[in-house]
Amino acid sequence: MKTSIATVCLSGTLTEKLHASAEAGFDGVEIFEPDLVAAPESPEEVRALAMRLGLTLDLYQPMRDVEGVSEEQFADVLRRAEAKFALMHRLGMDLVLCCSNVATATLDDDEVSASQLRRLGQLAEGYGVRIAYEALAWGRFVDDYRRAWRIVQLADHPAVGVCLDSFHVLSKGHDPSGIEQIPGEKIFFLQLADAPALEMDVLSWSRHHRLFPGEGDFDLRRFVGHVLRAGYTGPLSLEVFNDTFRQTDARQTAVHARRSLRWLEDALAQEAAADGAASARDDVRPLTPAAPPTSFDFVEIKAEDTSHVEAMLLAAGFTRRGRHRTKPVVLWSAGEARVILNEQHARDLAPHVAAVGFAVADAAAQTARARELRTPFAYRRAHASEETLVAVTAPDGTEVYWYGASEDEPAWTAEFVDGDPTTEGEVTSIDHVSLTQPWQVIDETVLFYRAAFSLEPAGGTDVASPRGLVQSRVLRTPDRAIRMPLNVAPPIVAERGAGSGLTQHVAFRCRDAVSLAREGRGRGLDILSIPANYYEDLQARFDLPDDTIAELRSLNVLYDRDATGEYLHFYASAPGRAFWEFVERRSGYDGFGALNAPVRLAAQDSGRNHA
Amino acid sequence: MKTSIATVCLSGTLTEKLHASAEAGFDGVEIFEPDLVAAPESPEEVRALAMRLGLTLDLYQPMRDVEGVSEEQFADVLRRAEAKFALMHRLGMDLVLCCSNVATATLDDDEVSASQLRRLGQLAEGYGVRIAYEALAWGRFVDDYRRAWRIVQLADHPAVGVCLDSFHVLSKGHDPSGIEQIPGEKIFFLQLADAPALEMDVLSWSRHHRLFPGEGDFDLRRFVGHVLRAGYTGPLSLEVFNDTFRQTDARQTAVHARRSLRWLEDALAQEAAADGAASARDDVRPLTPAAPPTSFDFVEIKAEDTSHVEAMLLAAGFTRRGRHRTKPVVLWSAGEARVILNEQHARDLAPHVAAVGFAVADAAAQTARARELRTPFAYRRAHASEETLVAVTAPDGTEVYWYGASEDEPAWTAEFVDGDPTTEGEVTSIDHVSLTQPWQVIDETVLFYRAAFSLEPAGGTDVASPRGLVQSRVLRTPDRAIRMPLNVAPPIVAERGAGSGLTQHVAFRCRDAVSLAREGRGRGLDILSIPANYYEDLQARFDLPDDTIAELRSLNVLYDRDATGEYLHFYASAPGRAFWEFVERRSGYDGFGALNAPVRLAAQDSGRNHA
C-alpha cells in the first residue's frame, strides 16, 4: 500500500524530514505548513528536492477556520486561501486539508458551512487544488466525521471531499462503521494515529500523546478496514503529534513510523484472511507469518568482569557448561535456563543484559519477517562449522536472537566444551527478562517486539522507587512463555546512569523459592535484605500464618497473591547492582509482585548507597 | 503557624526525608506508610530519630478501604487496623488518615460507613489513636468532603473526625465555604496541595501533577481561610504527589516546600489585613511587605570572552560606560538598559545571563523579605566605599540583585570609570529577560519570584522548535515593568547542553524597530535571517501593505498583532548563539510574538548547524 507521513511527525528541518522519510521507504509526505514557513528553501526548491527523493507531496496542511463564519470574515478566508493555493501551485501540490472551525466560527449551520466550502472549492479548482474537509475532535460546531460528510454532501462540489483522521473519530468514541456509507472517491485522504487510552482534554491528548499504529489502544485495523471497504484508494498516512518524536532522530523515527504501517498492513491482510474474504484492496500485503516464541532460549550478559555473576550462578545451582569453541563466551545452565557470559575488554563495564534469545517454531520464517519489517540486523561472526544464530538489534540496543525450538537442548549448546554435565536443580527456566528502556524509545520498543515477535502489550503501571517513579509496561506472549517487563527509569536517575541496575534484571523460574533461598544461602548466595517492616505489613495485609511469615522473613523471600495464585520471589545482589530474581509461581499467578517492587527498589537503593 | 509535610513529597529514604524536613524548618511530618514499610529502621528507631530532629509525627497515612464494606470484610478491616494501631503506638503516633473507600466498597449507605467508622474509632481509642476520615476525589461512593462530614457526624465518636485536603475539594470544583459549618475540633487534619488547571482524570492529576501552594491555579488562600474560620488549630501540612519532586534532591525540595507555606501564611495575613479583620488565628505571620520591582536595573552577562557581545552592543547603539573601579566588569548602557559584562577565566564559557538586577522601592524591605523566605543569599565582595548590592540565587542559579529605584541613573553606576558619556538612541530599556529553566526547577522558580518579588504567573504556552517543544511560562509585574518568560527546553536538547542558546535571551525595548534594524545593519549588527516563506505567510495572515512586508523582509524584522496593538522585533546573532532581541511595542501589545517563535527557533537552529 502507498504510504505517507506528515512532516510534523519528525524532528528537524523540512529538508531533514524529507530525507528521513524517503530513506525509510515512504512514498510521500504531508507538508505541515509551519515546517514550510520556517524553512529557508523556496517552494520550488522543496518541490525539486521531493522529486529527486522520489517523494510525492500528498497533502498541504492545515488550513484553519475556513467555514461557519460571517460573509465578511469569509472574504478574508478567500483571500488567505488564494495565497495558499498559489503557494501549492508552486509546490506542485493538489490537495489541502481544511479542518473544521475552532476559533472563528459563529454560525452553527450546515448550509452555511457547505456554501462556504463550495465557494472555496470553486476557487481551489482554478488552481488545480482539491479540499479535504476534516472534523476536528475539538471543532467548535463540527466535531464528528458524519457531520463533516453531511456538509461535504451539501457542498456538492467535485473539488470538496472529506479527510478522515483515526484520532478525531476514535478519541470521541464515534462509531467508525458509518465510514462505509461514504463513497470511496469522496474520501480524499486518510490520516492515521494511534493513542493510549487517556482521560484528558482531547486537544492535549492529540497534541502530545499520539502514537504510531500498534503502540496505543485504538483499534486501527477495524478503522482502516471500514475506510478500505468504502473504496478509499489513497495512501495510508501518518499524522502523529508526539513530544518524544519531535525530539528524537528523524531517521530513526521515520523507520519506526514506516514499520508501524507495515505492521498495520499485515494486520489488515490477516483479518481479511481470517474472514475468508479477499482484502478490500489488492495491494494489502501480509508479512511472512511467524508464531510467537515458545520460550526464552538464553540471555547473554556482558561485563568487563563476570566473576561475580559466575559466583552467583554457582550458588543458585547453575552448572558451568563450558567455553565456546571459538568465541570468548561461557555457557551456564540450570534446567532450561541458559546464561551466556561474555567478558569484554571495556573498563568498568558493569554486567548487563546484552542479548536475549528466543526459541521459535520456524527460524527461517522469523528471519524473513524481521527483514520485511526492516529491523536492523546485528552482526555476529560465525564459523562454517557453527550453528547460525540470527539477531536483530532492538531500539534500546539489546540484541534479540532466535533459534529453532526443539525438545532437547538446542544444538548450539554443543559448541561449548570442557564444561560440566547438567544436573537437576531448583531452577527450571527463565521466567521473565526485565529491560530498562530510555524514555525516548519505549514506544518504538513496544512496536518492535509486537511486530517482529508477536509479543502483546499487557498494561502498564508506575512503581515508586526512592528516587522517582519507574514506568513499567509488560510485553508477553498469549501463553506467557515470554514475559518482558519494560521499565523507564526516572529521568534524573537515568541521567546519572544509575537506572539500569535498579530496573533491569533476569528472573529465573524455580520449583520452590523457599528451598532455593535456603540452599542458596548455604552456598553463599547473596540475597537482597528485605526490611522487617515489610513482613509486619505483609502479615497485616494477608493474615498469613506466623511461621510462614517467619520463614519468608528469615530468608528475605517476598510474597504476593492475586485472584488465582501466589508469588514467592527473592533477589540476588551483585556488588553495586542487584541483577537476578528467583520466582515461584503458584496456581497461575500472573503478575510480577508489583506491590513488592517499591520495597525491592528501596532495598537496592540502600545497598547501592552503602556499596 | 505550625507546619508539616508528608514524606511522600520528598525523594529518598525515610531517614533522608526526616533530615531534610527538619533542616528546612518544618515542625512535623506525615508518615506515608510505604516509606516506613520500605525502611530498614524499626518504628522505635524512626520515633527516636524524629524526636532528636525535633519533628513531631503528625499523621500516619493512608489506611484504605475501611468502610462501606460487608460485615465479613469489616472483620478483616478491624484485624488490619489493629496491626496498624499497634504499629502507631510503637511510633508514638496518635492520628491516622482513613480515606474513603475506592476498591472494596459495596454499600453506598452513610449509616453503614458511620457505623464502621464508629467501631474503628472504638478500637483506635484503646491505642490512643484518632481517625481522620477523608473523602478522596475518586472515592467509590464518598467523594465529597460534605458527605464525609455527614458520615463523621453520624459516627458520633470522639476518636473520629475529618481530614480536609485542598486537592480533593478543589479538583472536584466543590464549594469550600461549607467547611465553616464543621466545628474546628472535628477537623482533625488539613492537607494542602496546589495544582495546575488540567482537564484529565482526577486520579492521574492527583498522583502526578500536584504542586506546592503558589505554583498552581487553586485559590488556597480562600480555602485555608475557611478552614481557619471553622476553628482548625492543627498544622498546615503539605501532601504533594509530584513526579519531579520524587526525583529531586530532598533537601532542596523541602526548603522550597517550606517557602510555599511561608508565602501562603503571608497571603492569609494580607487577606485578613485587607478585610480590616484580625486573622482567624493569632499565629498567622505576614512577611515584610515589598512592592514589586519597578524596572530592570541591569543584566549581567558572563563569558570567557565577551568581545562579540561588545561588538553587538556597539552596533546596536550602546555606549561603553567604563570599567568598574575594583571589579573586573564593564558597563554598557543605552537609555535605561544597562548591561554588565563579566569575563571569566573559564574555558569555552559561552555568554549567558548570570544575573538580573531589579530596581525596587525599598531595598531594605526587599532584603528582609528575602531573608524571611530563606532564599539563598549570593556572596559578592564589596569594598567599603562601594554601593552594597544584595543578591539571592534563584533555583536555576541566576543571581537576582535589587537596588533602590531612583529618577536618575542608579548610584552604583558611578563606580564605573574611564567610559564614554551616554547619548540618546533607539534603545530605551530592558523589555524582558527570558531564562531557560531545567525542567526540575521550573515550579520552584515560579514560587521563588512570586514569593520574593511579587511577580505573578501569567499563563503558559508550548512553542515548537525543530528539536522539540519548548514549554514557556511568563512571570510579570502587574504594570508589566518586569516580564520574564521562563522556558523549559526539550529534554534531549537540554541533555546536549544546546538548549540555553535557543531559549535564553535579553530583549531590549526600542522606539522604532525598523529604524534600529536599518541603523544597526549599517553598523555591522548581525541580524538573524528570517526565511522568505515567513513573509509570504505573514502577508496571507495579516494583509499588510506590500511595501511594509518588503521593508520587514529586507531587514529581517518579525511582526505580530494582538487585539490592542502591534509587535515588531528582530534578533541579533552572536557566533553559535543568538542572544539578543530588540522589540517595539505599539499601542499596548502585551505578548512576545508567540507565533513567530517557531520561525526564530528554526532560524537559530539552522544558524547553529552552519556555525
Side-chain angles (χ1 to χ4, degrees):
Chain A
M1 302 181 82
K2 189 171 181 305
T3 57
S4 189
I5 184 168
T7 55
V8 73
C9 303
L10 301 173
S11 173
T13 63
L14 182 57
T15 54
E16 287 170 350
K17 294 171 187 216
L18 294 178
H19 278 281
S21 302
E23 283 172 27
F26 282 95
D27 302 301
V29 297
E30 303 177 27
I31 297 287
F32 182 60
E33 181 171 85
D35 285 328
L36 181 75
V37 167
E41 294 79 14
S42 72
E44 289 77 9
E45 287 172 318
V46 172
R47 177 184 190 166
L49 175 62
M51 190 168 294
R52 179 164 72 72
L53 294 171
L55 289 172
T56 53
L57 300 180
D58 296 327
L59 182 77
Y60 188 87
Q61 61 120 321
M63 270 194 66
R64 299 187 192 279
D65 304 331
V66 297
E67 42 69 40
V69 298
S70 69
E71 280 302 301
E72 189 191 341
Q73 285 175 301
F74 189 65
D76 194 56
V77 167
L78 286 176
R79 191 191 57 72
R80 214 164 28 98
E82 187 153 18
K84 296 302 176 185
F85 296 158
L87 172 67
M88 287 176 65
H89 187 73
R90 295 170 62 194
L91 286 160
M93 295 183 69
D94 63 3
L95 188 63
V96 62
L97 176 76
C98 291
C99 32
S100 60
N101 199 316
V102 172
T104 62
T106 52
L107 302 165
D108 185 7
D109 184 329
D110 286 357
E111 293 285 355
V112 168
S113 292
S115 154
Q116 293 175 340
L117 281 182
R118 185 184 317 117
R119 283 177 281 162
L120 214 50
Q122 287 160 354
L123 180 66
E125 210 172 17
Y127 289 87
V129 166
R130 295 185 309 152
I131 288 166
Y133 179 58
E134 172 186 75
L136 293 179
W138 53 93
R140 173 118 188 243
F141 300 125
V142 180
D143 62 1
D144 185 328
Y145 77 94
R146 292 163 293 204
R147 182 163 182 195
W149 166 231
R150 277 202 306 275
I151 292 171
V152 165
Q153 283 178 290
L154 285 170
D156 192 25
H157 191 279
V160 179
V162 295
C163 174
L164 295 172
D165 180 317
S166 59
F167 184 88
H168 294 301
V169 176
L170 301 176
S171 66
K172 301 278 284 189
H174 293 155
D175 179 0
S177 65
I179 291 170
E180 298 192 28
Q181 309 307 315
I182 308 176
E185 69 274 11
K186 293 301 276 186
I187 303 175
F188 283 4
F189 209 71
L190 172 64
Q191 295 180 311
L192 296 174
D194 205 342
L198 296 174
E199 286 179 53
M200 64 192 305
D201 71 290
V202 71
L203 179 58
S204 301
W205 189 16
S206 173
R207 291 268 168 89
H208 301 289
H209 300 287
R210 290 185 178 210
L211 293 170
F212 293 120
E215 299 174 351
D217 294 312
F218 286 167
D219 188 347
L220 290 181
R221 179 166 69 171
R222 178 163 167 253
F223 180 85
V224 178
H226 292 306
V227 180
L228 298 189
R229 280 191 291 277
Y232 173 71
T233 58
L236 301 185
S237 189
L238 296 167
E239 190 193 32
V240 173
F241 303 88
N242 179 292
D243 289 357
T244 300
F245 306 150
R246 280 179 187 272
Q247 297 178 56
T248 45
D249 181 70
R251 285 192 166 77
Q252 187 175 341
T253 306
V255 169
H256 160 203
R258 185 66 190 76
R259 185 176 299 136
S260 76
L261 287 183
R262 198 67 194 82
W263 170 84
L264 179 61
E265 197 178 339
D266 179 62
L268 290 164
Q270 301 302 338
E271 187 183 42
D275 294 351
S279 279
R281 264 165 62 170
D282 53 11
D283 60 346
V284 178
R285 296 164 305 156
L287 294 166
T288 299
T294 53
S295 67
F296 283 106
D297 191 14
F298 66 88
V299 294
E300 178 180 356
I301 306 297
K302 279 188 183 168
E304 187 195 10
D305 177 356
T306 60
S307 56
H308 289 291
V309 180
E310 300 201 58
M312 187 286 300
L313 291 170
L314 197 62
F318 278 65
T319 303
R320 186 184 183 281
R321 302 290 303 287
R323 177 165 286 277
H324 192 269
R325 283 203 307 255
T326 61
K327 296 176 192 127
V329 296
V330 175
L331 172 65
W332 289 73
S333 80
E336 293 171 14
R338 285 176 285 276
V339 179
I340 292 171
L341 300 182
N342 186 340
E343 285 195 345
Q344 300 276 305
H345 293 292
R347 191 179 163 90
D348 294 335
L349 183 71
H352 67 282
V353 178
V356 298
F358 292 144
V360 299
D362 183 343
Q366 183 62 61
T367 303
R369 186 180 180 91
R371 260 187 226 296
E372 289 156 10
L373 287 162
R374 298 200 192 193
T375 53
F377 278 71
Y379 172 75
R380 187 166 185 110
R381 186 165 49 196
H383 292 262
S385 63
E386 291 166 11
E387 291 293 317
T388 306
L389 272 72
V390 187
V392 291
T393 305
D396 69 345
T398 304
E399 292 182 354
V400 184
Y401 288 81
W402 53 90
Y403 192 74
S406 60
E407 283 292 308
D408 309 316
E409 280 215 306
W412 62 262
T413 58
E415 293 167 12
F416 289 80
V417 295
D418 300 333
D420 300 321
T422 52
T423 55
E424 193 79 342
E426 284 289 351
V427 170
T428 57
S429 61
I430 296 171
D431 183 85
H432 62 271
V433 177
S434 180
L435 296 177
T436 305
Q437 301 293 303
W439 61 268
Q440 300 94 315
V441 303
I442 177 75
D443 297 310
E444 186 179 351
T445 300
V446 169
L447 179 70
F448 170 88
Y449 285 106
R450 191 175 197 188
F453 300 102
S454 305
L455 304 193
E456 285 299 317
T461 186
D462 289 340
V463 175
S465 87
R467 309 294 157 194
L469 291 182
V470 175
Q471 296 177 305
S472 181
R473 291 169 75 176
V474 175
L475 293 174
R476 65 187 186 197
T477 54
D479 66 357
R480 313 290 196 270
I482 304 289
R483 302 181 204 244
M484 294 181 70
L486 304 176
N487 297 318
V488 179
I492 293 182
V493 171
E495 276 171 35
R496 285 188 202 129
S500 61
L502 291 178
T503 56
Q504 188 193 50
H505 65 261
V506 176
F508 298 110
R509 185 86 68 92
C510 62
R511 296 179 217 281
D512 183 328
V514 167
S515 292
L516 179 57
R518 188 177 293 113
E519 285 172 21
R521 191 170 61 177
R523 291 191 293 250
L525 189 63
D526 186 10
I527 297 177
L528 185 72
S529 278
I530 302 300
N533 295 342
Y534 166 79
Y535 292 97
E536 293 182 11
D537 181 63
L538 192 64
Q539 191 149 28
R541 282 193 287 135
F542 288 125
D543 200 18
L544 292 168
D546 287 352
D547 56 347
T548 302
I549 291 279
E551 184 169 54
L552 295 175
R553 177 173 170 168
S554 74
L555 293 166
N556 292 297
V557 174
L558 297 127
Y559 177 89
D560 191 29
R561 198 154 76 191
D562 67 10
T564 60
E566 294 170 299
Y567 191 59
L568 286 86
H569 59 136
F570 64 91
Y571 295 83
S573 356
R577 292 194 180 186
F579 208 77
W580 309 91
E581 184 180 7
F582 297 87
V583 314
E584 176 191 348
R585 292 180 186 275
R586 293 181 183 166
S587 313
Y589 176 92
D590 198 26
F592 301 89
L595 269 179
N596 298 332
V599 176
R600 185 252 303 179
L601 288 164
Q604 289 177 316
D605 182 75
S606 120
R608 197 164 51 92
N609 284 348
H610 300 157
Chain B
M1 302 178 83
K2 189 171 179 311
T3 58
S4 188
I5 183 167
T7 55
V8 74
C9 304
L10 302 173
S11 174
T13 64
L14 182 58
T15 53
E16 287 170 350
K17 294 171 187 218
L18 294 177
H19 278 280
S21 302
E23 284 172 27
F26 282 95
D27 302 301
V29 296
E30 303 177 28
I31 296 287
F32 182 59
E33 180 171 86
D35 285 329
L36 181 75
V37 168
E41 294 80 14
S42 71
E44 289 77 9
E45 286 171 319
V46 172
R47 177 184 190 165
L49 174 62
M51 189 167 294
R52 179 164 70 74
L53 294 171
L55 288 172
T56 53
L57 300 179
D58 297 326
L59 183 75
Y60 188 86
Q61 62 120 319
M63 270 194 66
R64 298 187 191 280
D65 304 330
V66 298
E67 43 67 41
V69 299
S70 68
E71 280 303 301
E72 190 191 339
Q73 285 174 302
F74 189 65
D76 194 56
V77 167
L78 287 176
R79 189 191 58 73
R80 207 159 39 92
E82 187 153 19
K84 296 302 176 186
F85 296 158
L87 172 66
M88 288 176 64
H89 186 74
R90 295 169 61 193
L91 286 160
M93 294 182 70
D94 63 3
L95 188 63
V96 63
L97 176 76
C98 290
C99 32
S100 61
N101 198 316
V102 172
T104 63
T106 52
L107 302 165
D108 185 9
D109 184 328
D110 286 358
E111 293 285 356
V112 169
S113 292
S115 153
Q116 293 176 340
L117 281 182
R118 185 185 316 117
R119 283 176 283 162
L120 214 51
Q122 287 161 355
L123 180 65
E125 209 172 18
Y127 290 86
V129 167
R130 295 186 309 154
I131 288 166
Y133 178 58
E134 172 185 73
L136 292 180
W138 53 91
R140 173 117 189 244
F141 300 125
V142 180
D143 61 2
D144 184 327
Y145 77 94
R146 291 163 292 205
R147 182 162 181 195
W149 166 232
R150 277 200 306 276
I151 291 171
V152 165
Q153 283 178 292
L154 284 170
D156 191 26
H157 190 280
V160 179
V162 295
C163 174
L164 295 172
D165 180 316
S166 60
F167 184 89
H168 293 300
V169 176
L170 300 177
S171 66
K172 303 277 284 186
H174 293 155
D175 178 0
S177 65
I179 292 170
E180 297 191 29
Q181 309 307 315
I182 308 175
E185 69 274 13
K186 293 301 274 186
I187 302 175
F188 283 6
F189 209 70
L190 172 63
Q191 294 179 311
L192 296 175
D194 204 340
L198 296 174
E199 285 179 55
M200 64 191 308
D201 71 288
V202 71
L203 179 58
S204 301
W205 188 16
S206 173
R207 291 266 167 91
H208 301 287
H209 301 286
R210 289 185 179 209
L211 293 170
F212 293 119
E215 299 174 352
D217 294 312
F218 287 167
D219 187 348
L220 290 180
R221 178 167 68 173
R222 178 161 167 253
F223 180 86
V224 177
H226 293 306
V227 179
L228 298 189
R229 280 189 293 275
Y232 173 71
T233 58
L236 301 186
S237 188
L238 296 167
E239 189 192 31
V240 173
F241 302 89
N242 179 291
D243 289 357
T244 300
F245 306 151
R246 280 180 187 272
Q247 297 177 57
T248 43
D249 181 72
R251 285 191 164 81
Q252 186 174 340
T253 307
V255 170
H256 160 201
R258 185 66 189 77
R259 185 176 300 137
S260 77
L261 287 183
R262 197 67 194 80
W263 170 83
L264 179 62
E265 196 178 339
D266 178 63
L268 290 164
Q270 300 304 338
E271 187 184 41
D275 295 350
S279 278
R281 266 165 61 171
D282 53 13
D283 59 349
V284 178
R285 295 165 304 156
L287 294 166
T288 299
T294 53
S295 67
F296 283 105
D297 192 14
F298 65 89
V299 293
E300 177 180 356
I301 306 297
K302 277 189 184 169
E304 187 197 10
D305 177 356
T306 59
S307 56
H308 288 290
V309 179
E310 300 201 57
M312 187 285 302
L313 291 170
L314 198 60
F318 278 65
T319 303
R320 185 183 184 284
R321 302 290 304 286
R323 178 164 286 277
H324 192 271
R325 284 204 306 256
T326 62
K327 296 176 192 130
V329 296
V330 175
L331 172 65
W332 288 73
S333 79
E336 291 173 16
R338 285 175 285 276
V339 179
I340 291 171
L341 299 182
N342 186 338
E343 284 195 346
Q344 300 277 305
H345 293 292
R347 192 180 163 89
D348 294 334
L349 183 72
H352 66 282
V353 177
V356 298
F358 292 146
V360 299
D362 184 343
Q366 183 62 58
T367 303
R369 185 178 180 93
R371 260 187 225 296
E372 289 156 9
L373 287 162
R374 298 199 193 197
T375 53
F377 277 71
Y379 172 74
R380 186 163 186 114
R381 186 166 46 195
H383 292 262
S385 62
E386 292 164 10
E387 292 294 316
T388 305
L389 271 71
V390 186
V392 291
T393 305
D396 70 345
T398 304
E399 292 183 353
V400 183
Y401 288 81
W402 53 89
Y403 191 74
S406 59
E407 284 293 308
D408 310 315
E409 280 216 305
W412 61 262
T413 58
E415 293 168 12
F416 289 80
V417 294
D418 300 332
D420 300 320
T422 53
T423 55
E424 192 80 344
E426 285 289 351
V427 171
T428 57
S429 61
I430 296 172
D431 182 84
H432 61 271
V433 177
S434 180
L435 296 176
T436 304
Q437 300 294 303
W439 60 269
Q440 301 93 315
V441 304
I442 177 75
D443 296 311
E444 186 179 351
T445 300
V446 168
L447 180 69
F448 170 88
Y449 285 106
R450 191 175 196 186
F453 298 102
S454 305
L455 303 194
E456 284 300 317
T461 186
D462 289 339
V463 176
S465 87
R467 311 291 158 196
L469 291 181
V470 175
Q471 296 178 304
S472 181
R473 291 169 75 175
V474 175
L475 293 174
R476 65 189 187 196
T477 53
D479 65 358
R480 314 291 195 269
I482 303 288
R483 305 182 204 243
M484 293 181 70
L486 304 176
N487 296 318
V488 179
I492 292 183
V493 171
E495 276 171 33
R496 288 192 199 122
S500 61
L502 291 179
T503 57
Q504 188 193 51
H505 64 260
V506 177
F508 297 109
R509 184 87 67 94
C510 62
R511 296 181 217 279
D512 183 330
V514 167
S515 293
L516 179 57
R518 187 177 294 114
E519 285 172 22
R521 193 170 61 176
R523 290 190 295 249
L525 190 62
D526 185 9
I527 297 178
L528 185 72
S529 277
I530 302 301
N533 295 340
Y534 166 79
Y535 292 97
E536 293 182 10
D537 182 64
L538 192 64
Q539 190 149 28
R541 282 195 285 136
F542 287 127
D543 199 18
L544 293 169
D546 287 352
D547 58 344
T548 303
I549 291 280
E551 183 170 55
L552 296 174
R553 179 172 168 168
S554 73
L555 293 166
N556 292 297
V557 174
L558 297 127
Y559 177 88
D560 192 29
R561 197 153 78 192
D562 67 9
T564 59
E566 294 169 300
Y567 191 59
L568 286 84
H569 59 136
F570 65 91
Y571 295 85
S573 352
R577 291 194 180 186
F579 208 76
W580 309 92
E581 184 182 5
F582 296 87
V583 314
E584 176 191 349
R585 292 181 186 273
R586 293 183 182 164
S587 313
Y589 176 94
D590 198 25
F592 301 90
L595 269 180
N596 299 332
V599 176
R600 186 253 304 179
L601 288 163
Q604 289 178 317
D605 182 76
S606 122
R608 195 164 53 92
N609 285 347
H610 300 158

